[in-house]
Amino acid sequence: MTTTDPAPSSPATPVRQLRLVIVAEDYAAALAFYRDTLGLPQQEAYSGGDGAEVTILDAGRATLEIANASQVRLIDRVEANGKPSLKLRVAFEVDDARSVTAAAVDGGAQLVAEPRETPWRSLNSRLNAPEGIQLTLFEELD
């Protein structure tokens, strides 16, 4: 796999945070999965009129990965035996991909592919999480 140098960055980027918003039909189950099962620490929570609820979880450092169709097919072959990704897939770097994958399945996620070593030296699993979100859990091996 070849790499290219990143684009030069300006001293101050106008974007301060990447926030992924999940519209949860089963708010309690989604909160339990991401906060309690995956262990994302709660930063804030708010309640409003008409039963409105929102909880903001800390997911660590955020990056935005943009891949073309050929790269996605490669990732799908390596990570999930060719099973296609959904249009949006959320990837979480974890310290122990095997144990977090098992906990995620115990917490309600559907296993798509067991953890496996990738050519780019990570251990990746794929899951379908509650609320229709597809996840990759990855552990950097180097």
Side-chain angles (χ1 to χ4, degrees), residues 17-89:
Q17 180 181 157
L18 171 65
R19 184 172 290 177
L20 177 66
V21 179
I22 297 172
V23 180
E25 295 298 320
D26 188 339
Y27 177 80
L31 184 59
F33 181 78
Y34 289 99
R35 184 190 60 199
D36 305 333
T37 301
L38 290 185
L40 301 179
Q42 183 171 316
Q43 284 187 330
E44 304 170 52
Y46 303 98
S47 298
D50 294 329
E53 299 282 342
V54 64
T55 301
I56 299 167
L57 304 175
D58 181 357
R61 182 177 67 96
T63 60
L64 182 62
E65 180 176 320
I66 300 170
N68 69 13
S70 293
Q71 178 66 22
V72 172
R73 285 189 298 274
L74 170 64
I75 292 168
D76 290 344
R77 279 193 308 273
V78 167
E79 189 173 284
N81 296 326
K83 296 176 187 142
S85 297
L86 298 179
K87 182 77 171 171
L88 176 66
R89 182 170 33 87

Side-chain angles (χ1 to χ4, degrees), residues 1 6 9 15 22 46 51 53 63 70 73 75 83 124 126 128 134 139 142:
M1 177 167 271
S9 60
V15 176
I22 297 172
Y46 303 98
E53 299 282 342
T63 60
S70 293
R73 285 189 298 274
I75 292 168
K83 296 176 187 142
N124 293 24
R126 179 142 339 147
N128 289 329
Q134 191 167 67
E139 172 187 347
D142 289 330

Side-chain angles (χ1 to χ4, degrees), residues 78-142:
V78 167
E79 189 173 284
N81 296 326
K83 296 176 187 142
S85 297
L86 298 179
K87 182 77 171 171
L88 176 66
R89 182 170 33 87
V90 179
F92 290 113
E93 182 179 357
V94 298
D95 289 332
D96 183 344
R98 292 186 196 288
S99 68
V100 177
T101 298
V105 170
D106 289 345
Q110 182 179 56
L111 185 66
V112 174
E114 293 280 349
R116 68 208 42 220
E117 188 171 333
T118 69
W120 40 91
R121 296 281 303 137
S122 62
L123 189 65
N124 293 24
S125 65
R126 179 142 339 147
L127 304 115
N128 289 329
E131 300 299 332
I133 304 298
Q134 191 167 67
L135 300 180
T136 291
L137 300 178
F138 69 99
E139 172 187 347
E140 295 295 357
L141 298 175
D142 289 330

